[in-house]
Amino acid sequence: MEKPIYLKNPDDAQLFNELRKRVNQRVEKLPQNRDVYIKIKAIILPLIYFGLYLFALLNADQPWVYISNFVLMGISLVLIYLNLIHEAAHNNIFKSKKLNSLVLQIFDFVGANSYIWKKRHIAAHHAYPNVDGWDTDIEQSGLLLIVPWIKAKGIQKYQHFFFFLVYPLYLFNWMFIRDFRDFFDNERVILKTQGRIPVSEKIKMISFKLFYFFYQIAVPVLFFKVSMGLALGAWFLQVIAASIFALFVLLPLHPLPDNAFPKLDEKNGLPFSWLRHQLEVTNDLKENNWFVRNMLGNFNFHVAHHLFPNYSYMYYNEITEEIEQFARENNLGYKRFPIFTALGKHVDLLKQNANNAYFILEE
């Protein structure tokens, strides 16, 4: 399967080289011990998640304490993803790839799959963001239509009325459908472009899924006398809380009407150079405070991550200053919105797609 080809533009290549030089020089002047904070989180955040689990078990006779701890596990799961899993996939926590791989495998213990997610994130999302059929983060679910130049059909024409019922199920789809399809469905882009998946990884995926449900549901019921209803209900609320929190952070960064969804031409070519593509399909958020920087892994500075994924999020504040200044100087399309404005824009995108606004404009 032939991969998309970015537009070759020597001027844009030169621009990026200049930007990269400025960014590297800026980072070299900063304290080089910032990543130590992520290393500390690599110990603390998993301890918080499993500490909450243990506290829930020890208070299994108090249903609301049990439920509250499982909900907090859902919140901490997203913090683990934002601060650790995402950075480990880019080898940005430790210098050793083996240690980064070890951190990445935390994902296997919390219901996801580290092997297939890294392929999705690096070889699909980062390689071709917002490109339909290649970026797995904008895959069409059948219920919701994200790509504006695909015509809405059936229930998609009403998606702006019910999307808030679908989004809380985001991680259920991830755990029960998406992982399995990416491992076993030959029509998925992962299998089409990344080659065969080792049998050992398939066994590992299924084994960890079974282990996850064993300790999340079976252990409380079998050993701590938690009723099946309470065990299932608390786990369900954990995943709902994690889904809502995760999408609250992730949705405002790519799927907005202000961002492009580039179409491939007949030769599988993209309309933008790599540099302009990243700026066309990604936006930043204006929020920049302690909580966003230290708890949400600086996802507010998402353009910096797509342009310079080899730097950890601890450097994104200064890198973004360089990007913003450079974009002004060279008339590049850098975008930044308040988070609730961006979330509103995402809803606008769903409305426009439901009403086939793209096709109306074309006509």
Side-chain angles (χ1 to χ4, degrees):
M1 190 175 183
E2 187 179 349
K3 296 181 180 180
I5 303 168
Y6 284 103
L7 178 69
K8 295 190 186 323
N9 186 317
D11 291 336
D12 286 356
Q14 180 61 33
L15 278 176
F16 182 66
N17 286 335
E18 292 175 14
L19 174 60
R20 179 167 52 193
K21 182 178 179 180
R22 284 170 55 163
V23 165
N24 290 341
Q25 289 174 343
R26 179 72 180 272
V27 172
E28 286 172 1
K29 296 177 182 177
L30 301 174
Q32 296 302 300
N33 62 347
R34 289 190 180 186
D35 288 340
V36 71
Y37 298 106
I38 307 180
K39 294 180 175 68
I40 294 171
K41 290 179 187 178
I43 298 171
I44 292 176
L45 289 176
L47 286 177
I48 289 174
Y49 181 86
F50 290 105
L52 288 166
Y53 170 73
L54 181 61
F55 191 79
L57 294 181
L58 295 177
N59 291 273
D61 58 332
Q62 302 179 61
W64 286 110
V65 174
Y66 185 87
I67 291 171
S68 297
N69 276 271
F70 266 71
V71 170
L72 290 174
M73 285 168 65
I75 302 300
S76 63
L77 166 59
V78 179
L79 298 181
I80 287 171
Y81 167 77
L82 295 175
N83 289 276
L84 304 181
I85 304 302
H86 185 254
E87 290 301 300
H90 291 281
N91 293 308
N92 285 339
I93 301 179
F94 299 101
K95 292 181 179 179
S96 166
K97 287 188 177 182
K98 288 185 179 179
L99 287 177
N100 285 305
S101 179
L102 190 63
V103 172
L104 189 62
Q105 289 182 44
I106 296 171
F107 228 21
D108 299 310
F109 286 92
V110 294
N113 180 265
S114 58
Y115 174 86
I116 208 69
W117 178 80
K118 184 173 181 179
K119 284 191 173 293
R120 284 191 204 123
H121 186 69
I122 303 296
H125 175 64
H126 266 270
Y128 311 107
N130 272 24
V131 178
D132 182 52
W134 292 89
D135 181 359
T136 54
D137 282 9
I138 60 165
E139 281 180 321
Q140 310 303 299
S141 66
L143 291 174
L144 301 177
L145 178 63
I146 301 298
V147 179
W149 48 263
I150 297 177
K151 198 162 188 176
K153 297 178 182 178
I155 197 170
Q156 293 171 345
K157 296 180 179 180
Y158 309 98
Q159 63 183 16
H160 49 303
F161 295 120
F162 66 81
F163 72 92
F164 62 90
L165 298 174
V166 177
Y167 280 165
L169 305 177
Y170 171 65
L171 290 183
F172 291 100
N173 178 65
W174 187 333
M175 291 178 184
F176 293 114
I177 299 174
R178 195 176 176 191
D179 281 350
F180 286 92
R181 288 189 66 191
D182 281 343
F183 266 90
F184 300 106
D185 186 346
N186 290 325
E187 294 304 310
R188 302 285 275 188
V189 68
I190 294 296
L191 287 178
K192 284 182 177 180
T193 60
Q194 301 302 309
R196 296 183 62 182
I197 295 174
V199 173
S200 60
E201 290 294 341
K202 295 178 181 179
I203 295 172
K204 178 184 171 184
M205 187 269 286
I206 294 173
S207 298
F208 268 102
K209 295 281 187 186
L210 292 173
F211 175 70
Y212 170 76
F213 290 111
F214 174 73
Y215 84 78
Q216 289 273 334
I217 297 171
V219 167
V221 172
L222 296 175
F223 302 105
F224 292 86
K225 298 181 180 180
V226 174
S227 70
M228 181 60 76
L230 177 58
L232 287 172
W235 170 77
F236 183 81
L237 289 174
Q238 175 193 167
V239 182
I240 290 287
S243 297
I244 294 172
F245 186 25
L247 289 178
F248 183 82
V249 178
L250 300 176
L251 281 177
L253 303 172
H254 288 291
L256 307 184
D258 306 72
N259 292 335
F261 292 81
K263 294 175 72 171
L264 296 169
D265 62 24
E266 63 278 1
K267 294 182 180 179
N268 235 33
L270 287 162
F272 305 116
S273 66
W274 181 85
L275 169 63
R276 291 186 186 271
H277 183 99
Q278 309 309 315
L279 292 167
E280 290 288 342
V281 305
T282 314
N283 63 273
D284 280 346
L285 301 177
K286 287 191 175 180
E287 284 72 18
N288 182 14
N289 51 53
W290 182 91
F291 181 79
V292 171
R293 290 194 302 271
N294 295 281
M295 300 302 290
L296 301 186
N298 257 339
F299 259 65
N300 55 322
F301 295 140
H302 208 58
V303 174
H305 175 61
H306 272 267
L307 290 176
F308 301 98
N310 56 310
Y311 283 116
S312 82
Y313 65 79
M314 298 301 297
Y315 301 93
Y316 287 173
N317 189 39
E318 290 83 0
I319 291 175
T320 298
E321 289 178 1
E322 295 297 327
I323 292 171
E324 197 168 9
Q325 177 65 29
F326 191 82
R328 282 197 298 267
E329 292 172 3
N330 294 278
N331 197 29
L332 297 173
Y334 173 80
K335 302 178 291 291
R336 194 169 181 177
F337 309 113
I339 187 169
F340 289 106
T341 298
L343 287 168
K345 286 176 176 291
H346 176 72
V347 176
D348 290 341
L349 177 71
L350 295 179
K351 289 179 181 178
Q352 292 172 21
N353 292 353
N355 295 321
N356 293 318
Y358 179 88
F359 292 91
I360 294 170
L361 288 172
E362 277 202 332
E363 291 172 3

